[in-house]
C-alpha cells in the first residue's frame, strides 16, 4: 500500500524513497537544520509499520459512513431554524445521493 501511495505522489519517481523526499522538502522549506536524517528515519520507521495507514483507512471509512448522517442533521437543523423564524422551508434533491451526501437544496419562502 505504501508503494502505491508513494508512486502516485511522485516520491519514488523523483527521490527514490521517503527519507530523500523528506530531506529535500525540509531543505526547500529551509528547515534543514531542525531535523536530521536520523529523525526523519525514525519517523519513517515509526509510521511505516502499517498501523498508521490502517488508522487513516479506518478514519476514511468512518467519515464516509457518517457523512450522510451529518449532512442530514445539518439540513434538519437549518429547516427547524427557518421554521421557528416564520419561514417556510422546502428541501429538494438535486442529484443522486450516491454521488455526494450534499445532493439536496434548501429553499425557503418568507410567509
Amino acid at each position: 500500500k505504501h508503494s502505491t501511495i508513494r508512486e502516485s505522489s511522485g516520491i519514488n519517481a523523483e527521490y527514490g524513497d521517503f527519507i530523500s523526499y523528506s530531506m529535500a522538502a525540509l531543505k526547500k522549506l529551509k528547515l534543514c537544520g531542525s531535523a536530521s536524517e536520523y529523525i526523519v528515519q525514525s519517523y519513517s520507521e515509526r509510521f511505516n509499520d502499517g498501523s498508521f495507514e490502517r488508522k487513516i483507512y479506518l478514519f476514511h471509512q468512518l467519515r464516509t459512513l457518517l457523512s450522510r448522517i451529518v449532512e442530514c442533521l445539518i439540513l434538519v437543523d437549518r429547516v427547524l431554524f427557518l421554521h421557528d423564524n416564520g419561514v417556510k422551508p422546502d428541501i429538494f434533491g438535486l442529484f443522486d445521493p450516491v454521488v455526494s451526501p450534499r445532493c439536496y437544496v434548501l429553499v425557503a419562502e418568507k410567509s
Side-chain angles (χ1 to χ4, degrees):
K1 290 181 183 178
H2 283 286
S3 63
T4 305
I5 293 169
R6 288 181 186 152
E7 287 170 6
S8 66
S9 65
I11 293 172
N12 280 344
E14 193 172 342
Y15 296 100
D17 63 359
F18 176 76
I19 296 169
S20 301
Y21 170 78
S22 299
M23 293 307 293
L26 289 170
K27 185 177 180 181
K28 185 174 183 177
L29 295 171
K30 298 180 181 162
L31 299 172
C32 229
S34 63
S36 68
E37 191 169 330
Y38 171 77
I39 294 171
V40 172
Q41 175 69 34
S42 67
Y43 275 109
S44 175
E45 290 170 3
R46 180 176 169 194
F47 294 112
N48 201 15
D49 64 356
S51 67
F52 185 71
E53 187 172 276
R54 179 166 167 71
K55 289 176 186 176
I56 295 293
Y57 174 77
L58 291 173
F59 172 76
H60 178 70
Q61 292 298 316
L62 184 62
R63 185 181 70 176
T64 302
L65 289 171
L66 294 177
S67 64
R68 192 177 240 169
I69 296 168
V70 171
E71 289 293 330
C72 285
L73 287 173
I74 291 169
L75 277 173
V76 168
D77 179 61
R78 290 176 180 174
V79 165
L80 291 173
F81 173 80
L82 291 169
H83 181 70
D84 289 346
N85 289 293
V87 179
K88 183 184 176 275
D90 283 318
I91 297 176
F92 300 101
L94 288 180
F95 52 87
D96 187 6
V98 174
V99 175
S100 171
R102 295 182 178 178
C103 60
Y104 301 102
V105 64
L106 177 62
V107 179
E109 182 181 327
K110 219 171 190 180
S111 304

